[in-house]
């Protein structure tokens, strides 16, 4: 368990059954370990790692309500929980192995892009992924060392909205930041993960620029 500020944690799990899942999908997590005829109360989380032979799985969990508070209190090192996985269509395009993959993340919306980076690196396509990632401050940045290891430095664009720090742009990600990179909008795939206004705003702006493949994942 890795702390990122006071209300965000990175959990690494060892799977009892290491089943394949597609990068970008999500799972349902319940604190119950014995499941009866009816699936118990649970919460959905994007999987923040690619499939691997070690059977390790990463989740990024923010404390935002009663159930996630329970997770913070009860899911300690050595404890067991139950997953149902995987779901969703926030997927890397299987029909295109060349187009740029532009990822725009706010806060814990970075989770699926960690799985993208690991997967693309494993198949020798890491140069395709361009990442725009914004958090309030550096303590809340998740996976930055992993991204620096897996992706070319020129493809990484990190923003801090409430802190000034060398190597990071101060302020929110804007559509101008994306325009400045001169992407081919009709041939690129744009993935946006964050809050409702975050995803809606970028989707509208990218559509105006001629982007045809836009995928969103709101939390």
């Amino acid at each position: 368990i890795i702390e990122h500020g006071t209300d965000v944690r990175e959990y690494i799990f060892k799977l009892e059954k290491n089943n394949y899942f597609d990068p970008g999908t999500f799972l349902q997590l319940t604190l119950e370990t014995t499941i009866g005829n009816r699936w118990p109360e649970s919460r959905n989380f994007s999987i923040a790692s690619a499939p691997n032979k070690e059977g390790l799985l990463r989740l990024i969990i923010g404390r935002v309500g009663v159930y996630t508070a329970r997770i913070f209190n009860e899911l300690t090192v050595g404890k067991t929980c139950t997953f149902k996985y995987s779901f969703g269509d926030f997927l890397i395009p299987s029909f295109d192995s060349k187009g740029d993959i532009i990822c725009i993340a706010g806060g814990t919306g970075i989770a699926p892009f960690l799985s993208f980076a690991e997967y693309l690196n494993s198949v020798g396509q890491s140069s395709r992924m361009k990442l725009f990632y914004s958090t309030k401050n550096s303590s809340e940045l998740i996976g930055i060392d992993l991204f620096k290891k897996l992706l070319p430095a020129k493809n990484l664009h990190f923003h801090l909205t409430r802190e000034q720090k060398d190597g990071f742009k101060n302020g929110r990600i804007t559509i101008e930041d994306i325009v400045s990179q001169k992407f081919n909008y009709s041939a690129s795939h744009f993935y946006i993960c964050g809050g409702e206004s975050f995803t809606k705003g970028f989707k509208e702006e990218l559509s105006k620029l001629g982007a045809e493949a836009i995928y969103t994942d709101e939390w």
Side-chain angles (χ1 to χ4, degrees):
I1 299 173
I2 304 169
E3 303 276 353
H4 296 279
T6 58
D7 293 315
V8 178
R9 285 181 181 174
E10 179 179 351
Y11 286 85
I12 308 296
F13 296 89
K14 174 67 174 178
L15 295 171
E16 183 180 76
K17 296 181 180 179
N18 188 18
N19 298 321
Y20 179 81
F21 55 87
D22 289 309
T25 53
F26 68 90
L27 55 72
Q28 295 178 347
L29 180 157
T30 180
L31 293 168
E32 305 299 327
T33 56
T34 302
I35 308 301
N37 295 327
R38 186 173 182 178
W39 181 251
E41 184 177 8
S42 62
R43 291 296 181 271
N44 298 337
F45 299 103
S46 294
I47 302 174
S49 55
N52 56 77
K53 63 182 180 181
E54 293 82 12
L56 299 178
L57 186 147
R58 179 190 297 110
L59 295 181
I60 309 300
I61 300 179
R63 179 164 45 191
V64 294
V66 174
Y67 202 81
T68 50
R70 279 191 61 197
I71 291 173
F72 271 47
N73 292 333
E74 299 176 27
L75 201 54
T76 55
V77 174
K79 292 295 182 67
T80 301
C81 63
T82 306
F83 295 155
K84 184 190 289 186
Y85 69 98
S86 64
F87 306 94
D89 55 6
F90 196 69
L91 307 174
I92 294 172
S94 59
F95 55 86
D96 180 5
S97 60
K98 296 182 179 180
D100 284 337
I101 296 173
I102 319 302
C103 302
I104 308 169
T108 56
I110 196 63
F113 301 139
L114 285 161
S115 69
F116 280 15
E118 288 187 348
Y119 172 77
L120 289 168
N121 179 263
S122 72
V123 296
Q125 297 181 16
S126 57
S127 62
R128 296 175 61 196
M129 182 172 170
K130 282 74 174 176
L131 176 67
F132 296 83
Y133 176 25
S134 170
T135 64
K136 294 177 183 177
N137 52 63
S138 56
S139 68
E140 296 182 358
L141 285 167
I142 302 168
I144 186 170
D145 291 336
L146 184 62
F147 285 123
K148 288 181 177 179
K149 177 182 177 181
L150 299 179
L151 304 181
K154 63 183 178 63
N155 293 5
L156 299 173
H157 307 273
F158 299 126
H159 292 240
L160 300 175
T161 61
R162 299 184 184 178
E163 179 183 350
Q164 293 189 352
K165 187 174 182 178
D166 290 343
F168 299 85
K169 187 169 183 178
N170 181 241
R172 298 177 182 275
I173 305 168
T174 67
I175 194 63
E176 287 75 21
D177 293 313
I178 297 168
V179 169
S180 69
Q181 299 302 306
K182 297 180 170 56
F183 296 122
N184 182 335
Y185 295 100
S186 61
S188 299
H189 302 269
F190 292 87
Y191 293 81
I192 313 165
C193 189
E196 182 178 359
S197 60
F198 183 91
T199 55
K200 181 179 179 181
F202 279 110
K203 182 176 182 179
E204 290 177 350
E205 294 293 341
L206 289 168
S207 295
K208 293 176 184 177
L209 292 169
E212 299 176 2
I214 304 175
Y215 315 87
T216 64
D217 189 10
E218 297 177 8
W219 46 261

